[in-house]
Every structure is written in C-alpha cells, then in structure tokens.
Amino acid sequence: MLIDLPISELSEKLRSKTVTSVDIISECYDQIEAHESKLNSFITLVDRETAIAKAKAIDETIATHASPLAGIPYVMKDAYLTRGVRTTAASKILDSFIPPYSATVHRKLEEAGAILIGKMNMDAWGHGASTENTDYGPTKNPWDQERSAGGSGGGPAAAIAARFCSFGIGEDTGGSIRNPAAWNNISAMKVTYGRVSRYGAIAYASSLDTMGPTAKTAQDCAYVLETIAGVDPYDATSSPKPVPPYTKEIGASSKGKKIALPSEFFGDALDPEIKAAIMEAREVFESAGAEVTEVSLPLLEYGVPVYYILAPSETSSNLSRYDGVRYGGKRSLFTKENKRRIMTGTYALSSGYYDAYYKKAQKVRSLFISEYTKLLSQYDAILSPVTPIMPSKFGELLDDPMKNMMADLYTVTVNIVGLPSLSLPCGFGKTNLPIGMQLVGNMFSESTLFALGHTYQQKTDWHTRQPTLVSSK
Amino acid sequence: MNYEPVIGLEIHVELKTKSGMFCGCPADHFGKTPNTGTCPVCLGLPGALPIPNKKAVEWTIMLGLALGSTVSEVSKFDRKHYFYPDLPKGYQISQYDQPLCRGGKIETSQGTVRIHRVHLEEDTGKLQHAMVDGKKVTLVDFNRSGVPLVEIVTEADIHSADQAKEFLKKLHQIVRYLGISDADMEKGSMRLEPNISIRKVGETALPPYKVEVKNINSFRFAAMAIEYEIKRHATILESGSIPAQETRGWDEAKNATVSQRSKEEAADYRYFPEPDIPPLRFTRGYIEGIRQSMPLLPDERKQKIVKEFGLNEQQATVLIDDERKLNLFESTVLSNAVVSAGISGATVANWIINKVADYGVATTQQVAADIVESQKITVIDESELQNVLATVISSNDKAVADYKKGKQQSLMFLMGQVKRQIPKGNTQQILDALKAALDTQ
Ligand SMILES: [Zn+2]
C-alpha cells in the first residue's frame, strides 16, 4: 500500500511523478469504504470528490510546493476548527457548527498542500481516555474491535492504524494523543506547551492543552511538527523560540544519551506485559549506546489529583460559553463525564474552596516543575509506559470513573509541567494488543526525542506491524 | 439623629484605543450597525484566544500614574464567570488580585479621596429588546464586546453627594486630558456606580451594609441617587432596622433607586488566573517611559496659566473645565496677533470665557483677530493731538501749575481732559505728547 510508505518517500514519489496524490487519496478512500464501518473513527468524512479535486490541483502544481506534506492525506481530531467543515468536539451541542475560521494548525497544513480527509472521533470535549464518551458512538480498536481505541483522540489514532490516511493531528491535555497512539501501535508527539499554536483548537484545559502530530513513525511526526510548530500572533502563549529542523536533526546518534527510568512508574498499578515491553525497550536503547539509569520521581502519585483539579477547573470555565444561547445545542447535551468534570471544576473554583483546591494544585504544579527540571538537567529523556493498562474493553472505563482517571497516571504529569513526550510502539501483549512507551524530554527538546525515537525505530519493527483488519477484505 | 454618609465609587471608562482589548476589531462601536465589528475572539467562538492590547495596558498605567497610584511590576488577567447573554464566553476577562495599579488619590474641596485600585477588563455586548415579525425578542449586539474598559475603584472616603460629584468631574477631566477616553456619559463610555451606606456621626467603623447603585450615566444622577439613598437609609435606621445589602438601579422616570438584586442572589464569580494570557511584567524603565510621555494634567496646566499669563483663580478654573477651551486660550494668547498687540492674558481669557460660543468650531486665528479688533486703539493724527493739547493746557492753568510743582495727580487730570476729546486715542502716545507739551511750557 502507498499509505504504508513514510511521508519522505511519498513526497519524493509525488515530485518524481511516479505516484500521484490522486492515487494516494483514492487508496485512502477505498480503505475507508472497506473498514470504517467496523471502526467508527470519523465524525465527519470530507467527501471523496472534494478530496480528489484537491489532490488533482496539487498534482498539477507539485513542483511549486515546497512542503513535503503537499498532496499527503491527513485527519484532524474534531477539536480543531476547520473553516467550512463541521467541527463538533464530539458533542451534539456543536452538531451543526460550521466554523467561520480555521485553527492555525489547519491553516498551516492547508498552506503546505496537505489534504484533509476527515474530522475524527474523540471523547466529547476531550473528557476521557477511551473515545467512548462521545455523542457519535465509540471508536473501536483496529487491533480488536471489542476494545477501545483509547482517548480522547481515539479517532485519529485508529484511522492511522487502519491506513485511512498518512498522519493525524491530535490534541493532548493529559495523554489524549499518547494514550491512543499506544493502543493503536502508532507514534505521536505531545509537544512542549507553547510549541504549537492553540488558536482555533477547542479548549479543554487551556494551561495543559497541546497540539501535536500522530503518525506511523517518529520521522513522519517530525515532518508534520516542522510544518505546524512556531509562534502565532493569535496565541499569546505560543513560544517565539525558533523551530529546529527536526527532520535534519533526527539522524543524531543516541550514543552517550542519558535516559532516566523512574521506579515509581513500575509499581503495582502497571500491567506486567507493559512492564516487560518497557524493559525490552531499555535494552534496545542501551544497545544503541544510551545509558539508562533507574531514578526516583516521588511526586508521581500526586499527578492524577493535581490534574483532576486543574483540568476540570479550566474546563468548567472553557465550556461555559456553550450555554444554550448560541450554537444550537442545549446544555443538557453534555455527557455524564462532561457534567462530572464541569461540576468538579465549578466546585474547586468556588469562593471558600479555591485556596484548598485550585490554588493548592497550582502549588503542587510548581513542585512538579522543579522536580522534573532537576531530573531533566541530568538526563536527556525519561523512559516510561504510556498507560498502566492494556486497551480496555468497552464499558470498563466508562463504568468506573476512578479507573478512567488512573488510565492517565503516566501521562498527566507531563502536561502539568508542559514537557514534550514522544509516544512509540514498543511491543505486543499475548493477545496481540499493542503496547506503547513514552520518552519525556526537557522543555523544547522535541528534536532530541525524535532522534531517540528514530534510533529505536531503526532497531525495531513494532511500528511496521499492522492490524489484520488492514489487509482483510 | 445625625448621620454621616460613607460612599465609595466604582467608575468604568471605555478606552478609545484603535482596536479591541483582546482582538483587532475597532474599539469605536458607537452607532455602528449591530454585529459588524466582530471576530472569533470578541464573539467568544470555540478555539479563539485573547491577545492583550498593549496600548490599553499602557493607558491604564498612565491613568494610574496620573492618580498617583503604584504601578504593579507584575500583573495578570483573571476570568470572572457569570451567565448573561451579552457575555459570549460565559466569563469576562478582568483583573482580580493583581490589578495594574493600586492606591492613589484625588483631592476635593471636602478632603482627599483615596483610590483603591485601577484595573483593566473587557466590555460586554449589548442587549436590544425589539419586535421581530410581531414577536417580542431580545437581540444581542456584540460590537461593544471586547472593548477595553478601565475600572477605577475608590476607598469609601466620600461623605456627600457634592463631594462625589466633584471627584467624578475631576476624574473625568483627568481622563480627557490624558486623551485615553472620550468619557462621554451619554454614549456610555463612562459609567458610574456609587456604593452607599451611612453611619452615626462620630462612628469610625464601616457600616454593616452597603448598597450599590449600578450604571448611572450622569454626574447629576449620581448625586441624586446618593441623596436619595442617604435619606432612604436614614429612614430605615430610624425605624430600628438595617438597610438590606443589595444592588439597586437609578430610575430616571421615578427619580428614585429601585432594587435589582439582593445579597443572597449575588454571584460567585469563580475568579481564576486567565490561562490564555501569560502574566504581565513591567520594567521600571517601561513605567518611567510612560510617565515621561504623559501630557500635563489639569491641575498642572491650571498652575501654568495662572503663573505664565497672570490669570486669576476663577478664570483658570473655568478654562480648565473644558480642555478645548483651555487649548483655545493657550493658542490664542500665544498667537502673533495677540502678542504683537500687547493684549493681556486676562483680556484673552475673559473674551474666550464670555464671547466664544462654540469651542469646537472657533479657530485660534479668528478668535485672536476678534480680540485684537475689540481692543483696537486709534493712532491719532499728530497735528490734531497738538491742537487738543494746546486747548487743554491753556484752559487749565491751575492744573498745569500744580504739575510743574510735582503733583502727579494733575497730570492724570489733564490726561482725562485730553481723553474726553479723543476717547480712542492711544494712552501712551497721548501721555508722552502731554508730558512733552507741559515740559516746553
Ligand atoms: Zn474582535
């Protein structure tokens, strides 16, 4: 399949005219027609004719496009505003919302000539880790359709695993891009806070939200991030730091790189299969010349409580604009999980409780920042699992809010600090379910993480494995 | 029983920046077709983010400096949550515990009024109640949404309606002189909210209640509302009760305040730091730069015209009252026509105060020409003057003799005799000629 090829190769073929964008797009739509009904990864599919027309236009002008993403098909989590294309955040409240403007990320990709083929399923407003908490039906895991595709961005991840597109744009507030990557056997970069503009992305928790790429490999993610990163005059929290040439720096050697392995991540909560896979990954890094050292990050256990005060507080504020006056949908359309988080946040911000909850959580956040800063001044990356559990069966997380929260155990602290984290496939369980790991780096060290990830993917083939669904008819 | 009013003021002033507080839309919204000056940011669309307006921040700091406030070196924006259809995000971006400026004061004839704080926020949209297709509906115009709004809060240092009015006039003047707002009450670009309570004379503790009167749009109504509340509270206190803590509105038709919201219904705004805007940090140099660029304030300009042009207190006060009047005075008194005619500042001031009807239209050139014309003195023909002098001298022997003995009064008498015959004559010219004629006698 063409879509199995890395972006760099597809781009070369497009330029040498050995392949056309129409070929690639047609293949994607064939694949979608064959398998989407089994997965439910899309909320809105761009119609084939529109996408093909765009592809034709790119084919005709391919020589004039500087970006390697020209003519490459992609999907976006339905949290991104796409001018003229319905955007719902997976909530019926926005069921008929056609945005009058585009998110900066979308605008940049359109300018690069990439071709949007769909808006993808997610937990409504980003609330969840299983894409079950959606008004458009759960997304099924391509590796086992009895199981969740992870969340909140289950849609884009399942679509990439099922070879519906080349790459996706996710959004990560507490693990929403990494958790589905791990459960679908794909790669994803949760970027440093401020690295990519948030303008036009429907806010879940503004101080934690980050916009990043997800694709089959670390290298593909690097191509996408190179295009979407950078300061934005429409986002006061976007960083003016120059964007490094990630794809040029990705070949950097891992020799002598220092990787920390915090013991707190390997406690009782962790599934033994996942633990075993991470230990194997450790050996791969060591064989590449990296030095892996066990360390301690004692604050870890406070990550989930801090996250579940900050994120609901901010979301209770961000969602207050969906008050039933505009957009069509009434407030009663918020899901149970939405209401739970709105109420938790409203309570935490109420006068008399603010100091005990929100303010205290912010103090602990400062502690996290200093603890991670200290550790990352001595190490290039922290290696850890992405989720403590294997892909869950439908209903497991939905019925157990506590378990749902604990699924975020390893991912949320990264958002609390604002660090980048690369999620990579690192093995399979006995029942052929994928396992993911993450490499967390210092602020704005995406380039280092990409290089480590690329080294790993040169030495392993987990990321090349496909669910049987892909080749079935 | 004798009561003393305890009054604080909250004043909202819309800044006349080019663009909005957090977006590029025009801040000038008055009289525009509804919903024509909007964008994703001020409509609060999903995904839109606020970018603070530097000019608005600078002007708020400038106002703080003019009031003698301390400018915070670190400040931040916060979200203030409440539900209202004209508030598209469900929260207003305002400032809670780290306002741009704290402290300061304005002097009034009844004492100092301390400023508690000066902060910056965004204005809301506007509701319009209308009939559409025969149905009563409420429409929202978002043109005003996101217009920069400065809030000035005083301490409860005001003790009468007159003092409140004087304070407000002075504040209005300062804002106008800084050129940061039109502060036009009729257009709602300056809105007043007095907090009123009263206590027995001699007590020093704050009264156990406070009544806020919202959105008053004239100094007169503010004074009337305060007077009304003072009487109302006194009646309630006399009956042995304590007035309810509440928000009231001024009803122009009834000339009375009416209850709007009680304490029990008061909102919990759930303030928290606006995560979309990083904290603001100002260097001393930046703040000093703003101080340097500040225009002269009303009091400074008043002192200046008294000192430089010899005006009296009353003239200066009238001129300062309206900056257009003052500007016209300053340009006229320094114009070539007025300077070369040797006309005094007091004469120019009187003319401008009494004779110029429309300060918006009058030009310096025209006013100067009018004043010079009014003061015009005829230079008389030398031979005619000599004839008059000869007649006066010959028919006033005694006065001439007294003058020769050194009696200055006689000179003035003779001068008067000459002036009676040539009323428009140049005094100096006549005096010189008279002295010369007497000396050759
Ligand atoms: Zn706007």
Side-chain angles (χ1 to χ4, degrees), chain A residues 126-202:
Chain A
H127 296 174
S130 65
T131 316
E132 289 172 277
N133 176 44
T134 156
D135 289 342
Y136 296 86
T139 295
K140 289 153 195 163
N141 194 313
W143 294 87
D144 177 353
Q145 281 108 77
E146 311 256 290
R147 290 175 189 270
S148 152
S152 64
I160 292 161
R163 304 303 191 254
F164 293 166
C165 60
S166 194
F167 69 91
I169 300 295
E171 178 274 331
D172 193 312
T173 303
S176 291
I177 197 171
R178 289 163 285 161
N179 161 314
W183 285 7
N184 287 277
N185 200 47
I186 60 167
S187 308
M189 174 61 91
K190 181 266 167 212
V191 299
T192 306
Y193 187 81
R195 180 69 294 179
V196 177
S197 168
R198 293 185 294 119
Y199 186 67
I202 296 176

Side-chain angles (χ1 to χ4, degrees), chain A residues 77 80 125-127 152 170-178 189-198 201-212 235 237 302-316 318 341 345 358 361-362 364-366 368-369 372 408 411-421 443 446, chain B residues 49 79 272-277:
Chain A
K77 187 178 181 180
Y80 287 84
W125 310 106
H127 296 174
S152 64
E171 178 274 331
D172 193 312
T173 303
S176 291
I177 197 171
R178 289 163 285 161
M189 174 61 91
K190 181 266 167 212
V191 299
T192 306
Y193 187 81
R195 180 69 294 179
V196 177
S197 168
R198 293 185 294 119
I202 296 176
Y204 163 18
S206 313
S207 75
L208 305 164
D209 292 346
T210 53
M211 314 300 141
D235 178 358
T237 62
Y302 299 104
V304 166
V306 166
Y307 175 81
Y308 277 98
I309 285 171
L310 296 181
S313 294
E314 293 184 18
T315 214
S316 75
N318 287 327
R341 296 194 192 195
Y358 187 83
Q362 286 290 22
V364 182
R365 185 179 201 167
S366 307
F368 267 105
I369 292 171
Y372 268 94
D408 298 335
T411 46
V412 291
T413 55
V414 172
N415 297 74
I416 291 167
V417 182
L419 302 168
S421 169
M443 297 293 275
E446 282 85 355
Chain B
L49 299 171
R79 293 184 181 178
F272 84 104
E274 168 57 275
D276 289 331
I277 305 173

Side-chain angles (χ1 to χ4, degrees), chain B residues 109-415:
Chain B
S109 56
Q110 297 178 45
T112 304
V113 178
R114 289 168 301 156
I115 306 292
H116 176 59
R117 56 185 277 163
V118 180
H119 77 247
L120 188 53
E121 58 190 29
E122 57 178 340
D123 212 341
T124 62
K126 247 183 191 168
L127 296 187
Q128 281 182 17
H129 306 286
M131 291 288 279
V132 174
D133 298 334
K135 269 191 225 156
K136 273 191 181 175
V137 294
T138 300
L139 305 169
V140 196
D141 174 8
F142 288 108
N143 281 350
R144 197 180 70 177
S145 173
V147 168
L149 199 60
V150 169
E151 182 175 326
I152 302 116
V153 183
T154 76
E155 301 291 356
D157 286 349
I158 297 169
H159 300 295
S160 74
D162 280 348
Q163 192 186 9
K165 208 165 156 184
E166 186 184 342
F167 172 90
L168 289 169
K169 278 191 168 171
K170 280 203 154 184
L171 177 66
H172 183 257
Q173 231 173 42
I174 290 168
V175 166
R176 298 271 316 197
Y177 273 67
L178 291 176
I180 60 176
S181 172
D182 291 330
D184 188 326
M185 311 284 275
E186 279 172 21
K187 290 182 182 172
S189 49
M190 183 165 175
R191 291 165 242 160
L192 319 171
E193 288 169 28
N195 292 300
I196 307 146
S197 49
I198 63 174
R199 66 184 167 207
K200 282 180 196 157
V201 169
E203 281 180 358
T204 50
L206 283 177
Y209 75 97
K210 192 163 74 173
V211 174
E212 187 175 85
V213 187
K214 282 257 184 213
N215 286 329
I216 298 175
N217 64 356
S218 88
F219 298 146
R220 197 165 64 90
F221 289 150
M224 284 163 79
I226 290 170
E227 297 284 11
Y228 183 89
E229 282 300 300
I230 291 170
K231 283 199 194 104
R232 195 178 67 83
H233 298 188
T235 310
I236 295 170
L237 288 170
E238 286 300 323
S239 74
S241 310
I242 292 172
Q245 175 117 350
E246 61 181 344
T247 301
R248 299 174 75 89
W250 176 249
D251 186 326
E252 286 175 35
K254 289 186 192 157
N255 268 345
T257 63
V258 286
S259 182
Q260 287 183 337
R261 205 168 54 198
S262 74
K263 188 189 178 187
E264 286 71 33
E265 298 161 63
D268 179 348
Y269 293 125
R270 289 176 282 121
Y271 280 104
F272 84 104
E274 168 57 275
D276 289 331
I277 305 173
L280 311 170
R281 285 168 219 282
F282 308 108
T283 61
R284 292 248 168 86
Y286 174 79
I287 296 167
E288 271 319 298
I290 295 173
R291 199 193 295 277
Q292 300 300 325
S293 72
M294 243 163 77
L296 286 181
L297 294 170
D299 278 349
E300 294 169 321
R301 285 181 71 178
K302 187 170 167 183
Q303 281 167 20
K304 194 175 155 218
I305 55 172
V306 167
K307 209 169 122 196
E308 286 182 15
F309 305 112
L311 303 195
N312 63 37
E313 175 71 18
Q314 201 199 344
Q315 287 170 320
T317 305
V318 176
L319 288 177
I320 288 292
D321 186 48
D322 185 334
E323 199 189 6
R324 291 171 309 173
K325 219 184 288 187
L326 176 61
N327 287 341
L328 185 62
F329 167 76
E330 287 186 338
S331 59
T332 305
V333 81
L334 294 171
S335 69
N336 283 334
V338 167
V339 171
S340 59
I343 297 166
S344 74
T347 305
V348 174
N350 280 338
W351 180 270
I352 286 174
I353 291 166
N354 299 314
K355 298 280 172 67
V356 178
D358 193 342
Y359 310 104
V361 178
T363 66
T364 302
Q365 206 187 4
Q366 187 57 51
V367 173
D370 290 349
I371 296 174
V372 170
E373 184 59 36
S374 75
Q375 300 293 309
K376 208 153 224 166
I377 307 156
T378 323
V379 177
I380 24 163
D381 182 72
E382 191 63 23
S383 63
E384 191 198 335
L385 176 60
Q386 289 307 327
N387 283 339
V388 175
L389 287 177
T391 316
V392 170
I393 289 170
S394 62
S395 52
N396 289 286
D397 289 346
K398 183 166 186 312
V400 173
D402 286 349
Y403 170 72
K404 295 247 166 194
K405 282 181 213 152
K407 217 173 171 186
Q408 284 297 307
Q409 263 174 329
S410 302
L411 182 64
M412 286 301 112
F413 169 78
L414 293 167
M415 193 56 203

Side-chain angles (χ1 to χ4, degrees), chain A residues 86-110:
Chain A
R86 181 172 77 140
T87 301
T88 67
S91 171
K92 289 284 181 192
I93 289 174
L94 292 183
D95 194 45
S96 53
F97 178 59
I98 312 284
Y101 80 103
S102 275
T104 298
V105 171
H106 180 237
R107 182 180 54 75
K108 285 185 164 184
L109 289 169
E110 292 293 299

